[in-house]
Amino acid sequence: MSESESTKREKEAALEAYNEIVENAELGDIRLVELHFDVKPVYYDDDGRPKHKAKFNCNISNISYDEEPASLGGLIEWSVSIEMGRKKLLSIKAAYIVIYDNVPNVGQNHSEAYFRKVGRFATYPYFRSVVSQLSWASRAELPTLPVLK
């Protein structure tokens, strides 16, 4: 068997494993476990509107699979900040624990790939809502967060 045939079979097996998770997994829970908001008074200089671009980030960690209840979980941390040089003028960070139930045991790599892709989309509306509420309450007038792709 050639290397390209082997690679093709590996990709097909990975896709089949991923699709098995997609067909069976159910969102069990999303919980906000950490929230941090900080805005410096200098942020409001210049008519209260930032002249600096927002930095946006997502970090996914602690992904684990538990075979007995067939659950997959992990931590997803979202953050947005406005910086002037190296100084953070505004920062928002929210961390969510996400759990999927009824997840077939198809291997760690496939489970992690599923969690990294689907977990981001599951938590993002919650983070956008938090940012919107904090922007309103602080009158920070943050720009709308981007659409995930």
Side-chain angles (χ1 to χ4, degrees):
M1 176 178 356
S2 73
E3 188 175 320
S4 64
E5 289 175 2
S6 175
T7 302
K8 184 177 177 182
R9 286 188 180 168
E10 287 174 12
K11 286 181 180 180
E12 288 173 355
L15 182 59
E16 185 176 316
Y18 184 88
N19 285 337
E20 186 176 347
I21 297 172
V22 170
E23 289 175 16
N24 292 287
E26 299 170 354
L27 181 61
D29 203 359
I30 296 178
R31 294 184 185 197
L32 176 67
V33 294
E34 181 182 349
L35 180 60
H36 174 79
F37 173 71
D38 184 45
V39 62
K40 307 292 186 220
V42 69
Y43 175 85
Y44 296 105
D45 291 352
D46 247 359
D47 298 327
R49 296 177 190 255
K51 304 293 186 207
H52 307 282
K53 190 173 181 177
K55 290 187 177 183
F56 177 70
N57 190 42
C58 177
N59 183 38
I60 300 172
S61 62
N62 301 330
I63 301 171
S64 64
Y65 178 78
D66 192 349
E67 194 171 337
E68 180 54 35
S71 66
L72 175 66
L75 182 69
I76 301 180
E77 297 174 313
W78 290 99
S79 64
V80 64
S81 63
I82 306 286
E83 298 179 6
M84 182 172 56
R86 291 185 178 176
K87 185 176 182 179
K88 279 190 182 178
L89 303 179
L90 180 143
S91 66
I92 301 172
K93 177 182 167 188
Y96 301 88
I97 289 179
V98 181
I99 298 172
Y100 289 94
D101 298 323
N102 199 35
V103 178
N105 188 359
V106 294
Q108 182 177 352
N109 290 344
H110 309 301
S111 297
E112 285 188 12
Y114 176 83
F115 188 88
R116 288 182 185 283
K117 184 170 186 174
V118 178
R120 288 177 64 240
F121 285 99
T123 57
Y124 190 59
Y126 294 91
F127 181 65
R128 283 184 69 159
S129 177
V130 164
V131 170
S132 176
Q133 288 295 313
L134 292 173
S135 178
W136 172 82
S138 66
R139 297 183 65 192
E141 299 181 19
L142 290 171
T144 304
L145 292 179
V147 174
L148 285 184
K149 296 179 183 181

